[in-house]
């Protein structure tokens, strides 16, 4: 097998226009802190109907900036989903806050709003309410934001949407990121995500104060804004007002991201076609296909299938079998609370049983913009063979 025969679970789709955009930026005056980053910010804000957008060098940085802007600190609690990438929880730890999780809905694999309601009621009696809740739009399917927003108003917490998977997704026919049901929403442009800037992330919000706070903290805590300076001795002058970071996006990243953004709808349409074709190819297999919630239009970042409950022990064998046959299946996600770092903070296996059961049975099949139908057939044939080899079906 040559490396090109290998079908990964996800990958970037770079066009000649993308390459030209990056090369022309390389030849321009600015590699950082030039016009492309603000163009990209404006384009994302327009695309998702938000007032402000702040670029960062990763979604992880953007999540950290969002927590800081919402005032998360040492005595605070932040809740998120256990079925996510570790960054959704780590951002709260960077601020010294404690992290807790809310188990997932067994159909959508997203944070379950009913379990959130129960946990909040209990936390209120114990005086342990969270300052921020971070729902994650897993696989690109929006969470039940209306329910989460109602709870946010009832219990007085802020909401950061981790939409790392979900740029271009819609909730109740409106773009994820429009801020109707959250304070800040975060996108990732890592190469496996829907569009890429190599590394990169963006925080969008409708609140100017939050946007300014994030922008200042992404750039060493400094400002050059005339209405903020305590004096103005000349054009060289800037002031540091707080302790920030260097979380800035480069011009090269922004040029790539901007060029990719022009094909966002096309990428998502392609993923939906592939999704439909998988439905056809996989219809007689003894697996659970991804459920699509009404009133949501997923960006379809991932295609997670579930093996039958009776065969969870066979997941490793199916995974290895597929990998040996050139199918780059992956597992999304190892429940965050079972990571040794989080176990050292007091979590244990068994704490969030729905996420754990899901984890033991899941495999993500390849899904990316330029995946071909013949590659999909190859994936499904390999999967069938693996299920036969592992005693889950007969041919
Ligand atoms: C990818 C991802 C992140 C982190 O994104 P980076 O841009 O790689 O920092 C955070 N949360 C989720 C759910 C992700 O999938």
């Amino acid at each position: 097998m040559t490396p090109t025969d290998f079908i990964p679970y996800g990958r970037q789709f770079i066009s000649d226009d993308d390459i030209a955009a990056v090369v022309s930026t390389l030849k321009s005056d600015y590699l950082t802190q030039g016009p492309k980053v603000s163009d990209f910010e404006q384009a994302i804000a327009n695309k998702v109907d938000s007032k402000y957008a702040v670029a960062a060098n990763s979604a992880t940085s953007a999540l950290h900036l969002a927590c800081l802007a919402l005032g998360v600190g040492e005595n605070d609690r932040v809740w998120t989903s256990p079925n996510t990438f570790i960054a959704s929880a780590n951002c709260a730890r960077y601020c010294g806050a404690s992290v807790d999780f809310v188990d997932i809905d067994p159909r959508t694999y997203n944070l379950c709003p009913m379990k959130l309601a129960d946990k909040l009621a209990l936390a209120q009696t114990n005086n342990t309410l969270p300052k921020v809740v971070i729902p994650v739009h897993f696989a690109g399917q929006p969470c039940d934001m209306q329910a989460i927003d109602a709870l946010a108003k009832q219990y007085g917490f802020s909401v950061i949407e981790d939409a790392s998977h979900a740029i271009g997704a819609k909730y109740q026919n409106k773009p994820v990121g429009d801020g109707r049901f959250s304070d800040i929403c975060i996108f990732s442009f890592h190469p496996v995500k829907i569009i890429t800037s190599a590394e990169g992330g963006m925080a969008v919000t409708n609140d100017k104060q939050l946007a300014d706070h994030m922008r200042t903290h992404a750039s060493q805590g400094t400002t050059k804004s005339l209405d903020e300076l305590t004096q103005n001795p000349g054009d060289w002058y800037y002031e540091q007002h707080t302790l920030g970071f260097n979380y800035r996006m480069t011009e090269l990243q922004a040029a790539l991201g901007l060029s990719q953004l022009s094909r966002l709808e096309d990428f998502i349409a392609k993923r939906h076609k592939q999704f439909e074709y998988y439905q056809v190819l996989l219809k007689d297999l003894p697996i659970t296909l991804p459920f699509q919630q009404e009133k949501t239009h997923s960006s379809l970042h991932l295609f997670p299938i579930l093996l039958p409950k009776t065969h969870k022990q066979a997941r490793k064998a199916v995974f290895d079998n597929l990998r040996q046959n050139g199918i780059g299946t992956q597992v999304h996600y190892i429940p965050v609370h079972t990571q040794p770092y989080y176990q050292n903070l007091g979590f244990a296996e068994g704490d969030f049983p729905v996420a754990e059961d899901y984890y033991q049975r899941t495999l993500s099949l390849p899904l990316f913009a330029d995946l071909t139908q013949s590659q999909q057939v190859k994936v499904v044939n390999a999967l069938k063979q693996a299920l036969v080899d592992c005693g889950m079906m007969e041919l």
Side-chain angles (χ1 to χ4, degrees):
M1 182 179 21
T2 65
T4 49
D5 289 335
F6 185 80
I7 307 174
Y9 83 87
R11 73 165 171 228
Q12 70 277 17
F13 183 16
I14 301 294
S15 70
D16 289 345
D17 285 349
D18 294 339
I19 293 167
V22 174
V23 170
S24 105
T25 301
L26 258 178
K27 293 177 178 166
S28 76
D29 290 338
Y30 297 98
L31 299 187
T32 181
Q33 291 170 283
K36 286 288 170 195
V37 171
S38 33
D39 289 353
F40 188 32
E41 289 174 337
Q42 195 53 56
I44 291 279
N46 292 346
K47 182 66 78 180
V48 306
D49 278 349
S50 75
K51 281 202 185 129
Y52 308 98
V54 178
N57 55 11
S58 71
T60 304
S61 305
L63 282 162
H64 183 194
L65 294 171
C67 284
L68 290 170
L70 291 168
V72 173
E74 275 184 19
N75 298 315
D76 295 319
R77 293 176 185 78
V78 173
W79 294 1
T80 188
S81 170
N83 182 35
T84 186
F85 185 56
I86 48 178
S88 319
N90 290 346
C91 56
R93 298 292 302 146
Y94 299 152
C95 305
S98 64
V99 168
D100 203 350
F101 303 91
V102 181
D103 210 347
I104 58 171
D105 176 306
R107 285 197 310 174
T108 62
Y109 320 140
N110 275 333
L111 182 150
C112 171
M114 279 172 325
K115 290 185 187 115
L116 176 61
D118 291 347
K119 196 173 173 108
L120 287 164
L122 191 64
Q124 187 166 47
T125 63
N126 297 337
N127 229 350
T128 55
L129 284 170
K131 184 171 190 98
V132 174
V133 173
I134 308 182
V136 180
H137 303 314
F138 176 74
Q141 170 151 260
C143 295
D144 186 348
M145 291 308 299
Q146 196 167 349
I148 293 167
D149 178 56
L151 292 167
K153 295 196 167 108
Q154 184 181 346
Y155 289 97
F157 57 85
S158 303
V159 177
I160 301 171
E161 293 172 77
D162 184 343
S164 291
H165 300 181
I167 186 134
K170 293 202 166 77
Y171 177 67
Q172 298 175 345
N173 269 320
K174 302 242 170 72
V176 167
D178 72 353
R180 273 179 310 146
F181 298 120
S182 69
D183 298 277
I184 300 173
C185 177
I186 304 297
F187 300 112
S188 171
F189 309 123
H190 181 279
V192 297
K193 308 288 163 74
I194 306 291
I195 61 168
T196 190
S197 62
E199 293 279 3
M202 192 83 72
V204 296
T205 180
N206 293 325
D207 182 319
K208 182 166 189 309
Q209 260 182 321
L210 292 177
D212 289 346
H213 192 285
M214 292 192 284
R215 195 177 296 290
T216 302
H217 283 74
S219 203
Q220 310 282 10
T222 61
T223 182
K224 286 197 83 165
S225 166
L226 291 179
D227 51 337
E228 285 169 358
L229 295 179
T230 59
Q231 50 165 310
N232 187 15
D235 271 356
W236 69 86
Y237 192 70
Y238 59 87
E239 280 177 359
Q240 181 186 357
H241 286 179
T242 182
L243 188 62
F245 305 86
N246 181 353
Y247 279 172
R248 293 185 305 259
M249 180 181 274
T250 68
E251 289 285 288
L252 304 179
Q253 291 169 311
L256 177 56
L258 198 53
S259 177
Q260 288 253 310
L261 184 62
S262 67
R263 302 201 302 291
L264 176 64
E265 280 80 14
D266 179 43
F267 286 168
I268 290 179
K270 287 193 161 82
R271 287 172 179 272
H272 275 267
K273 279 217 170 100
Q274 293 157 359
F275 185 91
E276 305 279 295
Y277 194 46
Y278 269 144
Q279 305 284 318
V280 175
L281 295 174
L282 293 166
K283 72 176 181 329
D284 296 324
L285 274 63
I287 55 173
T288 306
L289 298 179
F291 168 81
Q292 295 300 292
Q293 181 78 47
E294 261 180 56
K295 295 189 186 160
T296 67
H297 185 72
S298 175
S299 53
L300 296 178
H301 166 53
L302 296 171
F303 194 92
I305 60 163
L306 285 196
L307 300 180
K309 268 193 197 288
T310 47
H311 286 77
K312 32 169 103 163
Q313 300 78 1
R315 200 269 306 272
K316 178 178 165 17
V318 176
F319 179 94
D320 290 344
N321 190 315
L322 287 172
R323 283 289 181 106
Q324 274 152 23
N325 289 299
I327 312 299
T329 182
Q330 197 33 292
V331 170
H332 301 96
Y333 283 100
I334 305 160
V336 177
H337 68 281
T338 66
Q339 294 289 353
Y341 173 78
Y342 284 94
Q343 294 211 28
N344 287 338
L345 294 172
F347 294 99
E349 263 172 55
D351 286 351
F352 303 98
V354 185
E356 291 171 36
D357 173 70
Y358 161 80
Y359 161 63
Q360 287 170 352
R361 296 159 60 204
T362 194
L363 287 171
S364 294
L365 299 186
L367 196 69
F368 48 87
D370 60 342
L371 177 72
T372 63
Q373 288 209 334
S374 68
Q375 284 177 315
Q376 289 190 272
V377 170
K378 194 177 155 200
V379 168
V380 172
N381 287 341
L383 178 63
K384 278 185 186 156
Q385 190 57 53
L387 296 181
V388 170
D389 292 349
C390 297
M392 272 172 262
M393 64 182 278
E394 288 173 9
L395 269 186

